[in-house]
Amino acid sequence: MRSDGNLAVMSLRRTVLALLVLIGLIAPGDALKCNCTNCEKSGYECETDGACMASTSYINGQEQHVRICIPRESLIPPGQPIFCLSAEGVLNTHCCYTDYCNSVDLQVPNGVPERAIWQGTSGSWGPVELVAVIAGPVFVFCLLLIVGVFVFQHHQRNYNHRQRLDVEDPSCDHLYLAKDKTLQDLIFDLSTSGSGSGLPLFVQRTVARTIVLQEIIGKGRFGEVWRGRWRGGDVAVKIFSSREERSWFREAEIYQTIMLRHENILGFIAADNKDNGTWTQLWLVSDYHEHGSLFDYLNHYTVTIEDMIKLALSAASGLAHLHMEILGTQGKPGIAHRDLKSKNILVKKNGTCAIADLGLAVRHESVTDTIDIAPNQRVGTKRYMAPEVLDETINMKHFDSFKCADIYALGLVYWEIARRCNAGGIHEEYQLPYYDLVPSDPSIEEMRKVVCDQRLRPNVPNWWQSYEALRVMGKIMRECWYANGAARLTALRIKKTLSQLSVQEDVKM
Ligand SMILES: Nc1ncnc2c1ncn2[C@@H]1O[C@H](COP(=O)(O)OP(=O)(O)OP(=O)(O)O)[C@@H](O)[C@H]1O
Ligand SMILES: [Mg+2]
């Protein structure tokens, strides 16, 4: 009788060989020769693509020996083929996979629970078994790897497909984004579709994700501004840093205020927040204006009287539209900018202005006479802060206070423009307001001393009186700069005065 250890080895060997045959590592094409007790005609031999089998049964007190071939398709289930099973006390069966390996003599001890007893080869590992034991796990590993790669690729394909759907083909995009549509067409659709609050969000996302960034054109407090291309046209992309998510959201929210669109307010196209796995990219897409900001423009060029009136009138028109509340379902709330300055006004190709950077704006909810966010005391750019903002006397419960503060800043912008006006061959170099009274990047305290305590304002030169346009501009500025906010002009009043001036001076807008 063999030891239990030997039996375990034999059982393992059987399982491995059966598996190898099944998975094709031992080529069944090389027919296996076996002893065959029923094959008189072929000299007691048979050939098979499966296994040789020897069995000994104990029937009616007699041992019967059978040796046959088992075809490959009968070797199921793998590992323990039914044909190779023994039955205790009745049948001892042995399957094997080398030529004539079933010539072994098996015994079925009478009445004793049977165990497979193989008296053939010894329990040590042969080369086939060794190969099997090494190749088996390697094969299984490779199989798992292939399955893994396949599953991964499948997942990737699905993901890319989903992304493409997201990007290029959300179910309704085709309504807006027919291949031949330009940005101008889109915006036209938008202004005639009646909603007045911007493109649907999925179209915004689609547009944003098909923009190709070209070059960086500026850097501000909240991030970078890039020129991008979309369907052959230029767009501006303001990319916020991840920690400025609230600013991004607020600016997008304000730009999508119903009926905000106006020729003198920067044309908003899309907002998109794209999670790239590591961080969230926050984009705000708008019209691109190659002249850049009014600050850039005035630094580069002097302006004629006509240019000056165009810039000033268009800026007033934009601000008047922003400030104005329009009643009715298609109306708009009054909006105060709170960060008006020459860097936040863009110059369009036709020489008119577009007010930009609405991230700090507040909206008036007239029904409840409240402001749509809790406004913080001092936001914006210190140099352009109105006296009541600098000394914190501004009445923040009163929405009009914020409009008055905008008008003060508009007056400073007019001063920057008028200084660059070339009348009769005279013009001045570009300077920021209060350039002669405060250092660069002044503190609130430095500004407060000059603007509130000393009540100083930028200088309006006497020679401006010699030119009607400059005289009017000078007068408007002073009336924008009153210490008392309520006494200042309104944007609408300024717009009317400058409209008259433009007619007088024969300016073509
Ligand atoms: N739509 C646009 N078209 C062309 N140029 C633009 C556009 N928007 C911004 N720029 C350029 O990018 C620059 C940076 O703009 P951004 O608003 O980020 O900063 P800023 O206005 O200069 O400073 P701040 O952060 O104080 O607002 C602008 O000064 C302008 O030159
Ligand atoms: Mg800005």
Side-chain angles (χ1 to χ4, degrees), residues 136-157:
V138 171
F139 175 79
V140 171
F141 175 76
C142 291
L143 202 70
L144 286 177
L145 200 72
I146 290 165
V147 170
V149 167
F150 177 77
V151 169
F152 177 75
Q153 279 183 341
H154 182 71
H155 178 263
Q156 277 295 98
R157 255 201 311 277

Side-chain angles (χ1 to χ4, degrees), residues 217-218 220-221 225 236 286-289 296 341 343-344 346 357:
I217 49 178
R221 272 170 298 182
V225 181
S286 67
D287 292 344
Y288 170 78
H289 299 296
D296 304 329
K341 58 176 175 173
K343 281 187 180 172
N344 286 344
L346 298 161
D357 285 280

Side-chain angles (χ1 to χ4, degrees), residues 442-455:
S443 67
I444 292 217
E445 198 44 33
E446 285 162 334
M447 288 306 305
R448 197 188 57 74
K449 274 192 186 132
V450 170
V451 177
C452 303
D453 297 352
Q454 296 173 258
R455 295 176 157 251

Side-chain angles (χ1 to χ4, degrees), residues 240 244-254 256 284:
F240 290 71
E244 296 293 351
E245 182 155 9
R246 283 177 60 176
S247 310
W248 166 82
F249 184 84
R250 180 65 178 163
E251 190 157 2
E253 183 179 48
I254 295 279
Q256 288 172 95
L284 217 94

